[in-house]
Amino acid sequence: MHPNISPRALVLTLACVIASTTACGDTSSSSAPQEHLDCDAEPIIRTTGDGIEFVRTPTGCFDDLPNFPYELEHVEIDGLRQGYVDEGPADAPVVLLLHGQPTWAFLYRKMIPVLVDAGYRAIAMDHLGMGFSDKPIDIADYSYLGHIDRLEKFINALGLRDINLFAQDWGSLIGLHVAGENPDWFARIVIGDGTLPVLPEGVEPYPRVENPDEIDPDLQFVFQLIPPQQIPFYNGCTPIGSTGTDFGAWMEYSMKAESFHAAEVVEGLTWFDIPDEDEAAYDAPFPSRIYMAGPRVFPSLVNELGGENQDAWEGLMQFEKPFLTIWASNDPGNLGSCAIQDNLIDNIPGAEGLPHIRLPEASHFLQDDQGAEIARRIVELMESN
């Protein structure tokens, strides 16, 4: 073994050779030392070989994160770093954790220790433009199929198989597509407040955001109206008053609002109040607006779903391995409804007979509200099936 190559780097290299993936040619080890830059360092605009301009969050932004003692790793895919956390024995069964918008692997800080203590390998990947991953600065460099392609290359680069998937929000739209088209890669699937929408080809369900790079200092959204200790939005499956939001308005707010930042979204859509230091950690990957193209454009990718998910959904309707849903009981958005959860339970064979649940005292970002309980139920599923 070369003295400068870590054991994990060697595993990645061998996995690439075995998998023979297109990602292997530009997948680099995460063991290379990184220059430490203060969080307020001037952004450095870099360019990939394909001409994509991007920035890389200064390493200082990730110093001293609360309850997150994990090494931030990366592989390089198509000239851009894909960040992730990888904890637990390298040869243990894998639990792949996929976040949504506008969060990152920090969302899984309460789940990772439970999974690792139970003997599993927990991998929390940051989507492109989020967390420790590189961040293209042009919104045109993000796409729904691009996120799917990167997840497939990430899985192959790390040589992951027999995957136990947990995915939420946009992580489910991406992860379920990959699972539906590659069901043999996955041993079990657990979904929390997510789905795989199937829209006819050519359908764009919402108007496109006009002048997307314009900054609007006056745009506001409902998060300012939700108290830190969230109020009940449901009585069982019945909404209390009006729930849900105008998704088109959410697209515009994310894209253009000067005030938009990750922590306000997580604080607004969790049951419990989030400590200030945790809010700062959710914002850590985005020290200024140039780093935020990824979370800004994510909601608008809903207009790219038309015609893309039919085959993947048909694959999921043949998925007979365990498929569990763990829902929040107080998610006011569309993904929190009983109908979305029931659609998965009723149409995916592997869901039959499993202990599906709507967790009390949990909202959209249920990993923050009830992470240890979710992880416990994942462990229970893996040990009983």
Side-chain angles (χ1 to χ4, degrees):
M1 181 183 297
H2 191 282
N4 293 325
I5 299 179
S6 70
R8 190 179 293 279
L10 181 60
V11 170
L12 290 178
T13 302
L14 291 174
C16 272
V17 172
I18 293 170
S20 299
T21 68
T22 57
C24 293
D26 58 3
T27 301
S28 61
S29 166
S30 60
S31 62
Q34 300 183 70
E35 180 183 3
H36 187 279
L37 296 175
D38 291 339
C39 194
D40 59 359
E42 189 71 19
I44 300 171
I45 298 179
R46 311 164 191 257
T47 307
T48 70
D50 293 332
I52 295 176
E53 293 187 328
F54 68 96
V55 288
R56 181 170 293 162
T57 302
T59 51
C61 295
F62 300 103
D63 289 346
D64 302 320
L65 298 173
N67 300 308
F68 197 76
Y70 308 119
E71 180 182 356
L72 296 171
E73 307 188 39
H74 70 267
V75 290
E76 189 170 293
I77 298 173
D78 299 333
L80 295 163
R81 289 182 178 180
Q82 195 85 18
Y84 65 102
V85 168
D86 190 347
E87 295 291 321
D91 58 351
V94 171
V95 183
L96 177 61
L97 307 167
L98 299 181
H99 68 84
Q101 182 258 3
T103 59
W104 63 289
F106 183 76
L107 181 65
Y108 287 104
R109 68 197 181 282
K110 299 177 184 180
M111 293 178 60
I112 291 171
V114 177
L115 297 170
V116 172
D117 287 349
Y120 299 106
R121 179 183 176 190
I123 299 176
M125 189 199 80
D126 293 328
H127 298 299
L128 186 68
M130 319 284 274
F132 198 58
S133 292
D134 283 340
K135 299 165 178 69
I137 60 178
D138 188 340
I139 60 172
D141 290 324
Y142 297 89
S143 69
Y144 178 56
L145 292 183
H147 281 298
I148 289 167
D149 179 65
R150 290 187 70 86
L151 176 57
E152 291 178 340
K153 289 178 177 177
F154 176 82
I155 288 171
N156 283 323
L158 269 64
L160 306 181
R161 290 297 184 269
D162 293 324
I163 299 165
N164 298 281
L165 173 67
F166 177 83
Q168 175 258 351
D169 191 75
W170 277 95
S172 69
L173 275 73
I174 297 165
L176 286 176
H177 184 110
V178 172
E181 294 196 334
N182 305 278
D184 54 311
W185 293 2
F186 295 85
R188 301 168 190 83
I189 297 175
V190 184
I191 298 298
D193 293 52
T195 191
L196 185 69
V198 178
L199 302 178
E201 185 173 357
V203 169
E204 292 189 359
Y206 300 95
R208 298 184 188 184
V209 176
E210 296 182 0
N211 304 315
D213 290 321
E214 176 184 277
I215 300 175
D216 190 334
D218 299 321
L219 272 179
Q220 298 293 314
F221 205 63
V222 296
F223 306 124
Q224 291 84 5
L225 303 178
I226 302 175
Q229 171 56 65
Q230 200 176 70
I231 59 175
F233 292 117
Y234 288 93
N235 180 9
C237 289
T238 303
I240 299 174
S242 176
T243 62
T245 58
D246 181 344
F247 196 83
W250 169 232
M251 289 165 53
E252 183 176 23
Y253 180 78
S254 297
M255 189 76 82
K256 299 172 62 174
E258 185 177 48
S259 61
F260 169 63
H261 62 107
E264 66 162 342
V265 183
V266 182
E267 173 60 71
L269 295 180
T270 44
W271 173 260
F272 296 108
D273 186 15
I274 298 178
D276 290 346
E277 60 269 26
D278 288 7
E279 289 194 28
Y282 279 115
D283 285 335
F286 316 110
S288 66
R289 189 173 179 83
I290 195 172
Y291 297 91
M292 292 189 65
R296 283 177 50 223
V297 76
F298 235 133
S300 290
L301 301 186
V302 71
N303 281 337
E304 299 182 6
L305 300 180
E308 301 295 353
N309 287 334
Q310 184 64 49
D311 290 345
W313 177 248
E314 290 178 2
L316 288 175
M317 289 195 294
Q318 304 300 316
F319 192 84
E320 297 182 348
K321 288 174 279 190
F323 188 103
L324 178 65
T325 64
I326 301 177
W327 240 244
S329 64
N330 206 54
D331 181 350
N334 179 58
L335 290 178
S337 72
C338 289
I340 293 292
Q341 183 181 18
D342 290 345
N343 183 60
L344 297 175
I345 296 171
D346 294 343
N347 285 285
I348 298 176
E352 184 176 356
L354 294 186
H356 306 283
I357 191 171
R358 293 178 68 85
L359 294 175
E361 298 186 332
S363 192
H364 182 68
F365 295 105
L366 64 166
Q367 304 98 309
D368 198 292
D369 284 322
Q370 298 289 346
E373 175 64 15
I374 296 167
R376 186 193 69 78
R377 288 176 178 271
I378 293 173
V379 170
E380 186 177 81
L381 176 72
M382 295 171 68
E383 293 181 350
S384 63
N385 288 272

